[in-house]
Amino acid sequence: MPSNEALTPLLRQFRVLIAGGSYGGLSAALTLLDLSKGRVARFNLTEGVKPPQYQIPIQITVVDERDGFYHLIGSPKALACDKFASKTWTKFCDVPALKSPNLQIVRGSVNTVDFQNRVAQIHDLETKETRQEKYDFFIAGTGLRRGFPTVPQSLKREEFLREASSHKEDIRNADDGIVVIGGGAVGVEMAAELKELYPQQKITLVHSRDRLLSAEPLPDDFAERVVSVLKESGVEVVLGQRVIDTTAVEGVKGKRTWDLTLANGTKLKAGHVMNAVSKSSPTSSYLPTDALTEEGYVKIHSNLQFANPVPNAEHHFAVGDITQWAGIKRCGGAIHMGHYAGTNIHQLMLSEITQAKPEFLNLISYPPVMGLALGHTAVSYTPDEGTKHGKELLGTLFGEDMGYSICWNYMKMSEPFKA
């Protein structure tokens, strides 16, 4: 039986290019690092799984516009709390698990991908130069383009901390209260978090539909529970009214306020306005249009390979929010996809070496599930358990830091790379 030593047939190094360094991209990279060194992938929690019998030479390049890992789930709190903002963005160079000679992280963007020749054009944001990178396998994991305040617009940690600090001051100085526009997941979490952090502030949530979370395939009792929790915490909720006009008013000493007009003619005054209306779009412009849906999502098979008939489709994978796949898009789903994509790419590497048929992990259709952190409590829905809420649930789903430690520890980001 072969040991976990590199075998003589391994005469070349496999090159993997990953576009996107968030939950999906990093979980794929970490899975590949583990498996290529002959270890069980860190995300595989099944008992009795044996490690690979071969070590495989591998070189991974991750390309991301940011200079670090940003915990997207924590945005509602990070943009209103300096202490949490500092924790929620970690530079890639400061993540112990990523300090591997087999992994290179480039701060930049993938401009184009040539599927036929398996070469990508990368624009390096540090050197301002554009170069070509050949690869054996490619993973698209760049997610969705989201506006502020759903995500910060900064690309460097220091800029992000300044952005968060400036936003916090706008919140603190809003003498006429704060209006949050949009009652999706981001809007409701933001309104609840603001009331928790600044209980003296008047917080108003305005949503154009008659029920919150109207864009999600979730039952009415879930939305109703969310409304109840918000109102109990002191958030004023206005449903069924669209904001049709927002006008800035310069006050004394240059202090600006805002006059908002709703569709029914109601007037609201605010010291600060936060637009949480969801306007996200896939960041897939670097991919061939033949691989995408009309909305720009990547069509995938259940093994994460590109589904449409594009050249070398079996060497191209997509993970996370950029994919067209059933279920509500969540960070847990992206991590799961990254694990499966990394494992399946490793199977293809083994197949090339041993001529054995690859054994793929295949996704199942995700049911609609959701968990929301609403200040001091949480509300969740799963098909099996229905709608639940409570402070204890908040600890279970999000811990004490909007799920940052849960994600970080699950991905084992603090564990130094083992050669």
Side-chain angles (χ1 to χ4, degrees):
M1 181 69 68
S3 66
N4 284 11
E5 297 295 326
L7 302 182
T8 51
L10 308 185
L11 300 178
R12 75 173 181 89
Q13 186 180 69
F14 287 95
R15 294 162 298 183
V16 181
L17 176 60
I18 302 176
S22 191
Y23 304 103
L26 290 187
S27 61
L30 292 168
T31 295
L32 282 164
L33 287 176
D34 288 341
L35 293 172
S36 68
K37 293 300 180 182
R39 294 190 292 268
V40 175
R42 66 193 61 208
F43 305 107
N44 193 330
L45 304 179
T46 305
E47 292 186 7
V49 174
K50 296 181 180 179
Q53 296 178 355
Y54 305 96
Q55 289 191 12
I56 299 177
I58 189 173
Q59 185 61 43
I60 303 169
T61 301
V62 175
V63 182
D64 196 280
E65 292 179 330
R66 296 192 180 105
D67 69 359
F69 169 69
Y70 175 68
H71 182 56
L72 179 63
I73 301 171
S75 282
K77 187 172 183 176
L79 293 170
C81 174
D82 285 344
K83 183 178 180 181
F84 187 69
S86 180
K87 179 178 183 178
T88 198
W89 186 307
T90 308
K91 287 187 175 182
F92 291 125
C93 61
D94 293 329
V95 179
L98 302 179
K99 295 180 180 180
S100 163
N102 305 102
L103 174 65
Q104 175 192 22
I105 297 182
V106 177
R107 196 175 82 81
S109 58
V110 176
N111 289 347
T112 60
V113 183
D114 179 348
F115 280 41
Q116 183 68 54
N117 297 302
R118 281 189 274 174
V119 60
Q121 188 180 71
I122 298 173
H123 177 66
D124 191 312
L125 289 174
E126 298 293 348
T127 65
K128 309 300 182 184
E129 295 179 350
T130 299
R131 61 181 174 84
Q132 290 190 333
E133 174 117 352
K134 292 187 69 65
Y135 60 84
D136 298 294
F137 297 97
F138 176 82
I139 301 176
T142 46
L144 305 179
R145 185 73 64 190
R146 297 178 171 95
F148 182 89
T150 303
V151 296
Q153 301 304 291
S154 304
L155 299 179
K156 293 185 176 182
R157 185 176 187 274
E158 291 76 11
E159 296 172 357
F160 161 67
L161 294 178
R162 289 193 294 269
E163 182 182 6
S165 180
S166 174
H167 187 249
K168 183 202 70 175
E169 288 305 308
D170 288 339
I171 293 168
R172 181 171 292 172
N173 296 327
D175 295 339
D176 291 288
I178 300 165
V179 173
V180 179
I181 303 173
V186 173
V188 299
E189 286 193 325
M190 200 168 287
E193 198 61 47
L194 288 172
K195 196 63 182 178
E196 179 82 359
L197 292 169
Y198 306 95
Q200 77 286 356
Q201 279 284 18
K202 178 183 178 182
I203 309 296
T204 304
L205 176 66
V206 180
H207 188 53
S208 61
R209 305 292 183 176
D210 290 329
R211 56 158 269 182
L212 295 178
L213 304 151
S214 52
E216 305 294 355
L218 297 165
D220 288 342
D221 70 321
F222 177 76
E224 290 164 2
R225 174 55 59 187
V226 173
V227 170
S228 297
V229 170
L230 289 174
K231 290 181 176 179
E232 289 166 7
S233 68
V235 175
E236 296 187 17
V237 181
V238 178
L239 295 176
Q241 292 300 321
R242 186 179 303 278
V243 177
I244 61 174
D245 184 64
T246 304
T247 303
V249 179
E250 296 297 336
V252 293
K253 298 182 180 179
K255 197 162 190 178
R256 178 177 293 182
T257 59
W258 303 89
D259 287 339
L260 290 82
T261 304
L262 306 186
N264 65 355
T266 299
K267 304 286 186 179
L268 299 177
K269 184 176 285 293
H272 185 52
V273 177
M274 299 174 67
N275 191 339
V277 176
S278 192
K279 293 181 179 178
S280 55
S281 59
T283 56
S284 56
S285 59
Y286 57 92
L287 297 171
T289 55
D290 290 346
L292 310 175
T293 67
E294 289 184 4
E295 295 79 19
Y297 292 94
V298 180
K299 290 185 177 181
I300 57 170
H301 292 300
S302 60
N303 64 3
L304 286 307
Q305 287 176 334
F306 276 57
N308 277 8
V310 293
N312 291 310
E314 68 275 13
H315 292 267
H316 295 81
F317 292 70
V319 299
D321 290 358
I322 200 173
T323 63
Q324 182 194 46
W325 194 254
I328 296 172
K329 296 185 183 299
R330 303 173 298 117
C331 83
I335 294 173
H336 184 65
M337 286 177 147
H339 169 216
Y340 274 29
T343 300
N344 291 343
I345 287 173
H346 182 257
Q347 281 290 307
L348 289 170
M349 294 176 181
L350 284 176
S351 177
E352 183 173 324
I353 295 164
T354 66
Q355 306 306 308
K357 184 178 179 180
E359 297 180 5
F360 291 139
L361 296 178
N362 290 284
L363 296 173
I364 60 173
S365 295
Y366 298 149
V369 299
M370 180 172 281
L372 296 173
L374 302 178
H376 62 282
T377 190
V379 181
S380 71
Y381 170 78
T382 65
D384 293 337
E385 298 184 330
T387 297
K388 297 172 61 179
H389 75 283
K391 187 173 183 178
E392 185 176 332
L393 182 66
L394 178 68
T396 301
L397 296 181
F398 297 96
E400 297 179 353
D401 53 13
M402 297 288 284
Y404 174 85
S405 295
I406 292 174
C407 291
W408 181 274
N409 293 336
Y410 180 62
M411 297 172 75
K412 299 184 179 179
M413 301 273 257
S414 292
E415 293 189 10
F417 172 77
K418 298 175 184 177

